[in-house]
Amino acid sequence: MNRLVAAFKRPVVPALGAWLVGLAAFSIVSVERLFSAPHAVFVYARLSAYIATVTVAALTIALIGVFGLACGVMLWWLDDPVGPRRIAACAGRSFWSVVIYTWTALALLAVDPPSAIAVADLWQPETVQSQMRDVLAYRWLSDMRLLVLAAFLIAVVVLLQRHARLVNVAIAVAFGAGLVAALLTALGLLGGSGDF
């Protein structure tokens, strides 16, 4: 029990927990609303959507770990080392920007829920995409993602610069962000390699 209490005192666990709950709620509301028709095709659509949500959650957590590790390695290389717990604490506190982004999307989804997709629409992807763009929550997620990413990175710099020189912190955060972007690009290329 003491370990559980100690874990929740770390800034990373509450932020990730709040984000995971928000992501799960957003996914459930979206999927059950979009694929509400009683058709066998929608059973597979629901399953695929939930698997995609779990994949996004696992990938996001892994990429935050890679980002923190990259920041720590770069700060060590610049002779301005910061302990892994401090880096994790800074990343955890900064992650609240992503939590707010996710919960805002959930609130917008409650205000403006998507309409159910008809079976016939599945054969017309442009109709489904147009329908999704009309939903306020999905527009929010699309339009605000770069701003939220910038807020996260700026918050990491502001929090980390208390423990290392600002120039070194900026370089480390840029290196971590660049590494994560390169990994996402590589994953995208791997995902698209089946098209050739």
Side-chain angles (χ1 to χ4, degrees):
M1 187 67 175
N2 289 340
R3 286 186 181 188
L4 185 64
V5 171
F8 274 95
K9 287 182 180 177
R10 295 184 184 133
V12 177
V13 175
L16 280 178
W19 174 71
L20 286 170
V21 170
L23 180 66
F26 184 87
S27 176
I28 290 167
V29 171
S30 291
V31 169
E32 296 304 321
R33 185 82 182 172
L34 287 169
F35 306 122
S36 60
H39 195 278
V41 170
F42 289 137
V43 173
Y44 296 109
R46 281 189 207 106
L47 182 62
S48 297
Y50 288 132
I51 289 171
T53 300
V54 171
T55 304
V56 165
L59 186 61
T60 300
I61 292 169
L63 289 175
I64 290 170
V66 168
F67 172 78
L69 184 64
C71 287
V73 168
M74 182 54 74
L75 286 170
W76 172 80
W77 188 72
L78 293 169
D79 288 330
D80 202 0
V82 175
R85 287 184 186 206
R86 284 193 175 160
I87 292 172
C90 293
R93 288 187 181 102
S94 301
F95 198 72
W96 283 102
S97 59
V98 180
V99 174
I100 292 167
Y101 167 71
T102 304
W103 280 89
T104 302
L106 180 60
L108 292 173
L109 195 66
V111 170
D112 179 26
S115 53
I117 296 173
V119 176
D121 291 342
L122 290 177
W123 315 122
Q124 300 172 334
E126 63 279 351
T127 305
V128 175
Q129 288 174 353
S130 173
Q131 182 180 336
M132 303 271 283
R133 276 193 296 267
D134 291 339
V135 177
L136 188 58
Y138 300 143
R139 278 201 316 269
W140 163 268
L141 288 173
S142 176
D143 295 346
M144 299 300 288
R145 71 174 185 261
L146 292 178
L147 185 63
V148 170
L149 177 62
F152 170 77
L153 294 174
I154 290 168
V156 172
V157 169
V158 168
L159 293 170
L160 259 181
Q161 62 92 27
R162 298 175 185 169
H163 309 290
R165 290 189 297 270
L166 179 60
V167 173
N168 293 343
V169 168
I171 292 169
V173 169
F175 174 70
L179 181 60
V180 167
L183 286 172
L184 285 173
T185 302
L187 286 172
L189 291 173
L190 286 174
S193 62
D195 297 335
F196 295 112

